[in-house]
């Protein structure tokens, strides 16, 4: 239990540290402000995961910074000095947006709409979602393992070599003949990679905590929230997309738990939606990043074969405790990003099998291939369009077209529903 909880903590941190650091860089935070932003975000993720495990979907699914909110933060960073007078005002507006998103989530859950939306996630849609997720993240994994981005804009050979060794070690540990090594392969791989990068001198410096050993996150660090029409509309749209993300993550984890334990685990989408709404408002109040259940946790459970909820709860508690202890958080935040990417690469590679196992459940192969073909072409296609191409579009449209995962999933749902209602031989469907 103890080792499994620490392994969950390591996975949560490794998969979540990049987003707050990247956003802090976009807004020009000082090192101290960046450290505080990371700590607040980790605190929110720990609380959010704990709430979902206890009263929400009750599955071992960790919460991570939502990629959609990450994208909106990046867009709003460019609004400073134009639509907003300063970066601080843009951040105040984002705080308001997350509060609005939380309210909408609770309304959708309260009226039972999430259960109806969950019915749209057939095995074909789940397959498309998982495959697009893997493809979208593959670029980030490869760039991270090559030491990009950096000041020179070129590959750092020691980082590339260290990442390759860590990657091979992670695969070796995940397939080890000893069961306990396979079970704890994630934490073993993280420690191995960390030690390796220390040996080759590629670990970041540990920032000073200024002698502070305990620090609770403050409310509305950037100032009172701002509610303007553009942000409210954007928050409403983001909420609908996050709903699809949340439902897909729950569906995938239900399947993995069934594979690992042999018994079905049905979750309450209404409870999960209400808790997600609370989590969004928590992120807005604590000036952090809005969270969402992460599908990658399914790969983690599939690899470690630990489907019990208790170790996950322990890992979430550890994240909360460490987030209020600045020295401990600073040490863990110094985990080299390439190590996290290399270990996570192994976990996500396992999810390819999960995706195709979902597709195998479909009876109408012709329709499934059509839906998958159209949606994968659309979703992967927009991933290759430069983000600058959308700069003159409304924020809502930019958020959609900048995210191939969500765009492709929505296309898949539309094509499948169209074929079900208007396609030939629809009685067969």
């Amino acid at each position: 239990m103890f080792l499994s909880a620490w392994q969950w903590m390591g996975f949560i941190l490794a998969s979540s540290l990049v987003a707050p650091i990247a956003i802090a860089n976009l807004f020009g935070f000082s090192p101290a402000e960046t450290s505080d932003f990371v700590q607040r975000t980790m605190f929110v993720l720990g609380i959010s995961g704990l709430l979902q495990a206890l009263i929400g979907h009750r599955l071992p699914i960790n919460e991570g910074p939502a990629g959609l909110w990450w994208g909106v933060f990046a867009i709003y960073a460019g609004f400073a000095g134009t639509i907003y007078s300063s970066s601080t005002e843009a951040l105040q507006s984002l705080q308001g947006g997350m509060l609005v998103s939380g309210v909408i989530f609770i309304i959708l859950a309260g009226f039972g709409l999430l259960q109806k939306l969950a019915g749209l996630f057939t095995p074909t849609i789940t397959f498309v979602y998982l495959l697009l997720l893997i493809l979208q993240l593959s670029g980030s994994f490869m760039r991270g393992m090559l030491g990009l981005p950096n000041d020179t804009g070129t590959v750092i050979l020691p980082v590339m070599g260290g990442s390759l060794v860590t990657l091979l070690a992670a695969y070796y540990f995940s397939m080890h003949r000893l069961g306990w090594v396979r079970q704890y392969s994630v934490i073993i791989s993280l420690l191995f990679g960390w030690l390796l990068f220390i040996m080759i001198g590629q670990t970041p410096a540990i920032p000073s905590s200024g002698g502070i050993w305990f620090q609770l996150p403050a409310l509305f660090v950037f100032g009172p929230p701002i509610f303007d029409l553009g942000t409210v509309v954007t928050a409403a749209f983001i909420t609908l997309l996050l709903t699809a993300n949340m439902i897909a993550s729950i569906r995938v984890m239900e399947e993995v738990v069934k594979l690992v334990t042999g018994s079905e685990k049905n979750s309450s989408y209404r409870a999960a939606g209400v808790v997600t709404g609370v989590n969004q408002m928590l992120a807005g109040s604590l000036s952090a990043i809005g969270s969402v259940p992460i599908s990658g946790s399914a790969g983690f459970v599939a690899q470690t074969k630990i489907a019990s909820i208790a170790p996950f709860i322990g890992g979430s508690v550890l994240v909360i405790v460490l987030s209020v202890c600045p020295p401990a958080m600073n040490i863990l935040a110094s985990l080299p990003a390439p190590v996290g990417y290399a270990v996570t690469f192994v976990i996500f590679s396992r999810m390819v099998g999960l995706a195709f196992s979902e597709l195998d459940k479909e009876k109408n192969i012709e329709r499934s291939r059509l839906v998958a073909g159209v949606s994968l072409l659309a979703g992967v296609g927009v991933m290759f369009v430069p983000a600058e191409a959308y700069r003159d579009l409304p924020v809502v449209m930019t958020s959609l077209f900048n995210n191939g995962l969500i765009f492709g999933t929505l296309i898949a749902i539309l094509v499948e529903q169209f074929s079900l209602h208007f396609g030939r031989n629809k009685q067969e469907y």
Side-chain angles (χ1 to χ4, degrees):
M1 182 70 70
F2 179 76
L3 288 175
S4 298
W6 276 89
Q7 184 165 244
W8 263 114
M9 182 205 70
F11 175 68
I12 294 170
L13 293 174
S15 61
S16 304
L17 283 171
V18 176
I21 293 173
I23 290 173
N25 183 58
L26 286 171
F27 282 92
F29 288 178
S30 68
E33 290 172 332
T34 300
S35 178
D36 288 344
F37 188 58
V38 171
Q39 289 177 28
R40 291 197 303 273
T41 300
M42 291 302 115
F43 181 82
V44 168
L45 297 183
I47 293 290
S48 299
L50 193 61
L51 290 175
Q52 287 285 17
L54 295 175
I55 59 176
H57 49 61
R58 301 176 188 272
L59 289 168
I61 307 176
N62 68 292
E63 295 276 322
L68 286 164
W69 278 122
W70 186 351
V72 172
F73 267 84
I75 294 167
Y76 271 60
F79 289 164
T82 55
I83 296 177
Y84 299 102
S85 61
S86 64
S87 296
T88 300
E89 188 173 313
L91 289 165
Q92 288 176 284
S93 183
L94 287 165
Q95 289 178 162
M98 285 182 278
L99 293 175
V100 171
S101 175
V103 173
I104 297 173
F105 253 116
I106 293 173
I107 292 173
L108 289 174
F111 283 95
L113 297 178
L114 294 183
Q115 193 67 38
K116 295 179 180 179
L117 290 173
L120 298 175
F121 281 79
T122 63
T124 299
I125 303 303
T126 305
F127 162 76
V128 170
Y129 174 85
L130 285 175
L131 208 56
L132 284 173
L133 175 67
I134 296 162
L135 292 172
Q136 179 161 294
L137 291 175
S138 62
S140 299
F141 291 158
M142 292 306 298
R143 286 192 297 271
M145 288 189 291
L146 295 174
L148 299 171
N150 55 56
D151 295 335
T152 63
T154 58
V155 173
I156 302 175
L157 286 177
V159 171
M160 182 175 69
S163 298
L164 178 59
V165 174
T166 303
L167 181 68
L168 294 175
Y171 272 115
Y172 170 73
F173 293 135
S174 68
M175 297 182 292
H176 201 278
R177 60 185 180 83
L178 296 177
W180 69 268
V181 175
R182 292 196 304 271
Q183 193 171 37
Y184 302 110
S185 60
V186 173
I187 194 169
I188 294 172
S189 302
L190 287 172
L191 292 174
F192 173 86
W194 201 342
L195 289 173
L196 176 63
F197 270 68
I198 290 174
M199 293 171 61
I200 63 176
Q202 293 295 326
T203 53
I206 300 174
S208 172
S209 61
I212 301 173
W213 287 88
F214 180 80
Q215 182 180 10
L216 287 172
L219 292 173
F220 300 115
V221 174
F222 306 121
I226 295 175
F227 302 94
D228 57 72
L229 181 60
T231 302
V232 170
V233 172
T234 300
F237 186 72
I238 292 297
T239 302
L240 294 176
L241 299 181
L242 288 176
T243 297
N245 199 325
M246 180 194 75
I247 292 171
S249 297
I250 293 174
R251 289 291 296 271
V252 173
M253 183 56 80
E254 286 176 340
E255 292 299 322
V256 171
V257 170
K258 182 179 178 181
L259 287 172
V260 173
T261 65
S263 59
E264 290 193 18
K265 172 73 173 178
N266 296 318
S267 305
S268 169
Y269 290 98
R270 175 172 291 184
V274 171
V275 172
T276 302
V278 172
N279 293 341
Q280 298 299 308
M281 290 191 287
L282 182 66
S285 302
L286 296 178
S287 306
I289 310 171
S291 66
V292 70
I294 299 297
S295 303
S297 52
F300 176 87
V301 171
Q303 178 173 319
T304 62
K305 307 301 181 185
I306 303 174
S308 172
I309 195 73
F312 171 74
I313 292 174
S316 298
V317 171
L318 284 173
V319 170
I320 296 169
V321 172
L322 290 171
S323 69
V324 298
C325 179
M329 196 72 240
N330 289 343
I331 292 173
L332 290 170
S334 68
L335 171 73
V339 174
Y341 281 121
V343 175
T344 309
F345 184 98
V346 176
I347 293 171
F348 272 83
S349 66
R350 304 282 184 187
M351 294 181 67
V352 176
L354 295 176
F356 281 97
S357 67
E358 284 294 309
L359 192 62
D360 291 340
K361 298 176 183 177
E362 283 287 4
K363 296 179 180 179
N364 193 303
I365 301 301
E366 181 183 354
R367 174 173 59 80
S368 295
R369 289 174 177 171
L370 171 66
V371 173
V374 174
S375 54
L376 288 174
L377 276 172
V380 175
V382 299
M383 294 179 192
F384 288 95
V385 179
E388 303 79 41
Y390 305 119
R391 65 175 180 267
D392 295 329
L393 297 178
V395 176
V396 170
M397 295 181 66
T398 303
S399 301
L400 175 61
F401 289 115
N402 259 333
N403 194 312
L405 169 63
I406 297 300
F407 182 75
T409 303
L410 290 178
I411 293 295
I413 292 173
L414 291 174
V415 173
E416 184 173 65
Q417 291 302 310
F418 182 85
S419 65
L420 284 170
H421 293 90
F422 303 106
R424 64 183 180 86
N425 301 326
K426 69 177 184 178
Q427 65 272 16
E428 297 177 5
Y429 301 159

